[in-house]
């Protein structure tokens, strides 16, 4: 694997796993008020489209990255719904 | 432009602009406690790598998407620093 491909791979891993600390923080703090509903929803729709796109062009890294990202952003969305009325 | 390329373009636009409502919400609410530092930092580093990768392979959509995303996530990061001690 050449350096540039490796760069793309690391970029993909970082922008995918970046949501893991957010999911953990939201789970621990039981608070998600500062997180924007629109961001989560638009991001999730965008990720699903990336997934469909990745499947269409049979691009494994794109599929794997977006499955993981979708899983993490869904957790944050579910936690935000769950903690909505927690005062 | 065929349907699949259009799909990728829309996915890119959504996952780029998703951060705009978050930047606006953080600006208006003057509060970013629920947003994870690690997410913002890891995401920003990942976006910079995507940018370098995009430049390396001369991919305009990748460059444009990540310049916009980096701009938006930097705003959220700066606002989070600024509102850190706001009670």
């Amino acid at each position: 694997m050449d350096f540039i491909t490796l760069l793309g791979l690391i970029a993909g891993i970082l922008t995918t796993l970046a949501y893991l600390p957010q999911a953990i923080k939201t789970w621990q703090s039981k608070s998600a008020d500062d997180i924007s509903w629109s961001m989560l929803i638009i991001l999730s729709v965008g990720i699903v489209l990336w997934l469909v796109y990745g499947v269409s062009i049979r691009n494994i890294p794109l599929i794997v990255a977006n499955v993981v990202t979708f899983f993490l952003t869904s957790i944050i969305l579910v936690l935000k719904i769950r903690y909505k009325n927690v005062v």
Side-chain angles (χ1 to χ4, degrees), chain A:
Chain A
M1 184 188 298
D2 66 336
F3 174 71
I4 290 177
T5 309
L6 184 65
L7 201 64
L9 195 66
I10 297 170
I13 290 168
L14 289 178
T15 49
T16 297
L17 293 184
Y19 299 98
L20 184 59
Q22 181 64 64
I24 293 168
K25 177 181 172 62
T26 306
W27 169 267
Q28 287 173 338
S29 64
K30 305 275 186 276
S31 168
D33 295 346
D34 293 329
I35 299 171
S36 154
W37 285 107
S38 332
M39 176 188 76
L40 283 175
I41 293 161
I42 297 169
L43 202 57
S44 303
V45 171
I47 290 163
V48 167
L49 291 188
W50 272 126
L51 202 49
V52 173
Y53 177 71
V55 170
S56 316
I57 61 169
R58 290 179 178 70
N59 182 302
I60 302 295
L62 208 56
I63 295 168
V64 172
N66 283 285
V67 164
V68 173
T69 312
F70 185 70
F71 176 68
L72 291 172
T73 48
S74 308
I75 288 175
I76 300 168
L77 194 58
V78 165
L79 292 178
K80 183 164 171 69
I81 294 166
R82 200 162 144 196
Y83 301 142
K84 202 169 61 170
N85 304 318
V86 169
V87 180

